[in-house]
Amino acid sequence: KQEVTQIPAALSVPEGENLVLNCSFTDSAIYNLQWFRQDPGKGLTSLLLIQSSQREQTSGRLNASLDKSSGRSTLYIAASQPGDSATYLCAVKSGGSYIPTFGRGTSLIVHP
Amino acid sequence: DTAVSQTPKYLVTQMGNDKSIKCEQNLGHDTMYWYKQDSKKFLKIMFSYNNKELIINETVPNRFSPKSPDKAHLNLHINSLELGDSAVYFCASSQGSGSRTGELFFGEGSRLTVL
């Protein structure tokens, strides 16, 4: 059964810092991995989707990488802004049920 | 236009009541899901439907009954509500099933409070 872990659970940084959020998974036979953002009281917004054949995806200041062999993905946020404050979740879809399994998220606060 | 919409957004009810949450997606996806997010913000899959057929039913009490009248709708009916059912319920959709499942899109969530 796939298990997804996100480290750190919480992060507080000053504006302008470059950040790395980590997502690890136990079963490397994945189909894709998706990063989401969740604002308080809101739904999940998709940030990046990486297929198993890809190594990374980029969108603006966000870059997500995937290393299946080591069971890891990282979300890199460049030049962080207060508006980046949210909870970031990763979801891994792997064999078996084909249902995305979520980590518990990293709660990010970027202060001015 | 909202891609995945859920109603109601908030639901407050008494223990023992029966309630429903509706979900509709206008993305043309063929797979829909219900997730439950508990007080610690952990998202857990409850059900998944592909082309109106149930493909995943995790360990969920049979008081929860999903219904998919067509590919664009997946409703959740809950009987005999209990305090522990209080949570935020999220509907999601994606295209394809099995190894070809694409990007997952979520609704805004329905916050259920059982008193």
Side-chain angles (χ1 to χ4, degrees):
Chain A
K1 183 181 176 183
Q2 181 72 270
E3 292 183 7
V4 181
T5 304
Q6 291 189 245
I7 294 173
L11 190 58
S12 180
V13 299
E15 183 176 7
E17 278 203 8
N18 299 324
L19 308 172
V20 175
L21 308 183
N22 296 295
C23 172
S24 61
F25 44 93
T26 54
D27 182 355
S28 61
I30 71 168
Y31 293 106
N32 65 41
L33 184 146
Q34 192 169 353
W35 282 94
F36 294 87
R37 166 190 176 133
Q38 185 176 25
D39 294 285
K42 299 290 187 182
L44 280 72
T45 301
S46 178
L47 298 173
L48 292 163
L49 171 71
I50 311 177
Q51 301 292 352
S52 63
S53 58
Q54 298 174 322
R55 294 298 301 271
E56 66 177 351
Q57 283 286 334
T58 298
S59 176
R61 294 182 294 108
L62 304 179
N63 176 276
S65 66
L66 175 63
D67 183 345
K68 285 194 302 179
S69 61
S70 64
R72 292 184 61 187
S73 175
T74 59
L75 179 66
Y76 177 81
I77 304 176
S80 58
Q81 303 170 357
D84 295 330
S85 298
T87 297
Y88 291 80
L89 296 143
C90 71
V92 178
K93 190 172 78 71
S94 49
S97 68
Y98 304 106
I99 300 298
T101 300
F102 279 83
R104 292 185 175 269
T106 294
S107 178
L108 172 66
I109 296 175
V110 181
H111 47 88
Chain B
D1 247 0
T2 304
V4 182
S5 58
Q6 301 178 223
T7 56
K9 189 170 183 179
Y10 300 97
L11 191 52
V12 181
T13 189
Q14 299 288 329
M15 269 197 311
N17 284 350
D18 303 338
K19 291 294 177 185
S20 293
I21 306 172
K22 295 184 177 182
C23 179
E24 175 182 4
Q25 54 93 6
N26 63 7
L27 298 167
H29 289 166
D30 60 3
T31 304
M32 297 184 71
Y33 312 80
W34 277 109
Y35 280 86
K36 179 180 180 180
Q37 188 172 47
D38 60 24
S39 57
K40 296 184 178 179
K41 308 301 182 188
F42 182 53
L43 273 162
K44 187 173 180 181
I45 185 69
M46 298 175 69
F47 302 101
S48 177
Y49 271 71
N50 175 255
N51 284 319
K52 303 192 300 177
E53 298 294 325
L54 179 67
I55 57 172
I56 287 291
N57 179 354
E58 290 293 307
T59 307
V60 177
N62 57 16
R63 298 182 294 103
F64 291 78
S65 53
K67 283 188 171 52
S68 182
D70 54 58
K71 286 197 311 182
H73 296 84
L74 181 61
N75 303 322
L76 184 64
H77 188 75
I78 315 170
N79 290 327
S80 304
L81 279 157
E82 300 177 356
L83 293 176
D85 297 332
S86 295
V88 182
Y89 293 85
F90 283 99
C91 178
S93 73
S94 66
Q95 178 57 32
S97 62
S99 62
R100 294 186 301 280
T101 300
E103 191 171 4
L104 201 58
F105 290 84
F106 276 81
E108 288 285 298
S110 297
R111 180 176 294 276
L112 172 65
T113 302
V114 183
L115 303 175

